[in-house]
Structures are given as structure tokens and as C-alpha cells.
Amino acid sequence: MGKYYMGIDVGSVSTNIVLMDENNDVHYKRYLRTQGKPIEILKEGIEEIEKEFGSVDILGVGVTGSGRYLANIIVGADIVKNEITAHAVAGLNSIPEVKTIIEIGGQDSKIILIRDRIVVDFAMNTVCAAGTGSFLDRQAIRLGVDISDFGNLALQSKNSVRIAGRCAVFAESDMIHKQQLGHNQSDIARGLCDALVRNYLNNVGKGKEVLSPILFQGGVAANIGIKKAFKEALGKEIYVPDNYDVMGAIGVAILAKEEVKIKGKTNFKGTSLYKMDYQVKGFECDGCSNVCEVIEIKEEGKVLARYGDKCGKWSNAINNRDFKLA
């Protein structure tokens, strides 16, 4: 029977799950498309672990990502942390001297500045898609290129085409214009890589002191065209860790290990939780002018949790038998 710590990163695009041992070595990782169904996908990921490993001893669980609170309720996590903390911990585990972490995912991007192993500053971009992986996905489709080949295509360019990258809509229009002018695909692909990097540095990295060593994390780190564009723009070496695509999950698994060693036990509900039936519904509370949207989660018909209310009227009443939802 293997003994592992589990890290779960639930994002809007992907749900990542890792199993890590005492030495922080990753023995299993799974990248799943969230598809707007975080509970179903989370259950699917846990089920795959049970089927692949059989009897496995999970010593502790950590959750992160935009869906971390929901994941915590479902799996029974030992620690819940934001993405900045999780990525920083994973980055430090990969390169202890790291000073800058560039993280670009499908829907958002972030920069984390670390000095003396402490996060001193960070910034995120969740508004414009021009600096994210989804932007590259869409342009690859328009070019008729698989996203996995996009980076290699960009490296074939001999003459980069400048494409407006400040806005995803303008960038797409500009790319189409360049196609109509007769520019070849490799030059356009390189231009798109340069545009994404320019957008990132001018928005997310604006005013930030980018020092080496620099780690490139997130799904977009697989794109060698983007890595080269960062190296040229910054004039510094860019390092991509082995598990670049699941660093958030790795970081929170490390934190879960530390947490469990302090408290001596885990809250994890077990890998058979995928067999449970969960129902989620939202409703508006009309108790005051806030009109809070309250989310209620039931497990096998029993109320497991409620959240979203500012005053605690619903979230604090779960154990009160006299306070029932109409």
C-alpha cells in the first residue's frame, strides 16, 4: 500500500490532482478539463486514483484554485490555500533560489516575486484573455494548427510579424489582416507568441522587478515558442519545471503534508467518495437588502454546507435542526 499526500487544484479550465510522497516526489498526476462541472470532474479524478492504485493510504489533502472551497467541502481537505501561495511553495520546492515565477494558465496569468524564499509581491490578470492560454488555443484553431505544434511552428519563423496584443479581439483581427497580406503561418505564430509575452509584461508584470532565477509554470509553459519569446524579451534564462502543468496541486500537497504533521490526522473522506451523490443548488436570500446568493451542497440528501451569505444566517445554521430551508 502506497502512502501519499494529495494536492488538488480546481480551476475554471482544468482540475489537477497529484499524489506526492514524503520526499515531495510526484508519483501520479492527472489533468482533467473542468468543463463547468467541478464536482463531477473531481469525483472522476478520485475514482481514477482508486482504480489505478487500489488500496492507497492518503495521509493528507490540500486544495487550491478558484474552486478550492467547493473541493474542500467534497473531499475533506486538511488545508485550503490560494493559488499564489500554492505556486510559490511548488516553485521553491523546484528551485529554492527562485526569485520570479511566471504562471500562465488557460484563463488567467500571474507573476509572483520571491525574495529570500518569501513572497514579497504578486499580480494577476483575470480580465483580458490576450495574456492566457485560451487566447493561443483560439488562434491555433484559426491557423489550422494543433496547439501542441504551435510552439514548434513559431520556432521555424525567420521574420516575426508584429501583432497587436493588448486586446484579444484586436489581436485576432490583426492576425486575420496579416494572413490576408500573405504572411506565412510560422511568422504569424511567432508574432502571436511575442504579442502574448508583450501583453503579460506590460500588464501583469508592469512595474515588477523580474530577477533570475525565473520559473515558468502553468499549462502554457509547454509552448516552447512562448518560452523563447520570454527569454528574448527579458534577456534571461527561463526554467520550466518537470511538472509545470500541475504546480499548484504540488504546492498545496506540500502544505498539506506540513499541516497533517502538526495536527496528527487527516480530514480526507477517502477515495470512495466518488460513489457519493452530491446535489448543488443556489437560491437568493430575501432576509435583507443584500439579497445574497446562497449555494447549498447536499451529500446523499443531507445538507453538507452552505456558503455565500454575508451574515452567516444560512452557513451557520447547518447544525440547527429548527432552521430548515423552505
Side-chain angles (χ1 to χ4, degrees):
M1 179 189 292
K3 295 185 177 182
Y4 304 108
Y5 295 93
M6 182 185 293
I8 301 173
D9 183 354
V10 181
S12 56
V13 173
S14 68
T15 294
N16 306 321
I17 303 176
V18 303
L19 293 182
M20 185 192 76
D21 65 19
E22 287 284 348
N23 299 317
N24 296 346
D25 293 325
V26 176
H27 291 257
Y28 173 89
K29 70 175 183 179
R30 189 75 169 92
Y31 176 99
L32 300 162
R33 290 280 182 176
T34 305
Q35 303 173 6
K37 304 179 293 183
I39 294 179
E40 288 82 353
I41 297 303
L42 188 54
K43 288 170 62 178
E44 179 184 321
I46 299 296
E47 181 180 6
E48 287 184 10
I49 288 174
E50 184 171 274
K51 288 183 177 178
E52 181 166 335
F53 286 83
S55 182
V56 58
D57 190 5
I58 304 298
L59 303 177
V61 180
V63 295
T64 188
S66 57
R68 59 188 180 275
Y69 298 113
L70 178 61
N72 174 42
I73 293 167
I74 300 301
V75 305
D78 298 296
I79 195 163
V80 181
K81 286 292 182 179
N82 60 62
E83 301 99 305
I84 300 297
T85 303
H87 276 277
V89 169
L92 286 164
N93 179 67
S94 179
I95 299 181
E97 303 81 22
V98 65
K99 288 185 170 61
T100 306
I101 294 176
I102 294 171
E103 197 276 334
I104 305 179
Q107 291 292 343
D108 63 10
S109 55
K110 56 185 75 73
I111 186 169
I112 306 170
L113 303 186
I114 300 174
R115 304 293 183 264
D116 299 321
R117 298 181 60 84
I118 297 173
V119 175
V120 296
D121 196 9
F122 70 91
M124 298 182 67
N125 174 30
T126 57
V127 178
C128 180
T132 66
S134 60
F135 167 72
L136 284 182
D137 285 341
R138 287 197 299 273
Q139 306 324 314
I141 292 171
R142 183 170 288 279
L143 286 172
V145 177
D146 190 278
I147 189 61
S148 61
D149 299 324
F150 194 93
N152 286 319
L153 180 64
L155 293 186
Q156 296 171 19
S157 171
K158 302 298 182 183
N159 180 35
S160 177
V161 176
R162 186 175 178 87
I163 294 175
R166 186 167 293 276
C167 167
V169 177
F170 294 157
E172 187 164 329
S173 298
D174 199 21
M175 187 195 79
I176 294 170
H177 178 60
K178 295 300 192 294
Q179 284 179 303
Q180 293 170 338
L181 289 175
H183 291 284
N184 64 53
Q185 281 189 320
S186 62
D187 290 344
I188 292 174
R190 181 178 171 186
L192 287 167
C193 289
D194 291 340
L196 185 146
V197 169
R198 198 163 57 245
N199 176 287
Y200 178 93
L201 295 176
N202 290 337
N203 291 284
V204 184
K206 186 176 183 180
K208 307 295 184 187
E209 186 181 19
V210 179
L211 300 178
S212 298
I214 303 170
L215 265 179
F216 187 11
Q217 304 178 175
V220 177
N223 190 311
I224 56 178
I226 297 292
K227 179 187 175 183
K228 182 181 179 182
F230 267 118
K231 183 177 180 179
E232 292 178 349
L234 295 170
K236 299 172 182 177
E237 188 59 53
I238 307 295
Y239 300 95
V240 178
D242 292 337
N243 296 298
Y244 61 86
D245 52 340
V246 293
M247 293 296 273
I250 290 173
V252 84
I254 294 172
L255 291 170
K257 181 182 71 171
E258 296 171 355
E259 179 68 17
V260 169
K261 286 185 175 180
I262 293 172
K263 67 180 184 180
K265 63 182 181 64
T266 181
N267 298 326
F268 183 49
K269 296 180 179 180
T271 53
S272 60
L273 66 86
Y274 72 88
K275 300 174 183 177
M276 304 294 284
D277 180 37
Y278 296 94
Q279 307 91 39
V280 181
K281 74 172 183 178
F283 63 92
E284 287 187 350
C285 174
D286 58 2
C288 71
S289 59
N290 285 327
V291 193
C292 296
E293 181 182 4
V294 181
I295 305 300
E296 180 182 73
I297 301 175
K298 288 185 177 181
E299 181 183 77
E300 301 291 341
K302 179 183 178 182
V303 176
L304 192 63
R306 297 189 187 112
Y307 59 91
D309 50 338
K310 292 182 174 66
C311 68
K313 172 182 177 182
W314 296 97
S315 54
N316 294 335
I318 295 175
N319 296 321
N320 186 348
R321 296 180 180 178
D322 298 327
F323 198 97
K324 297 180 180 180
L325 177 61

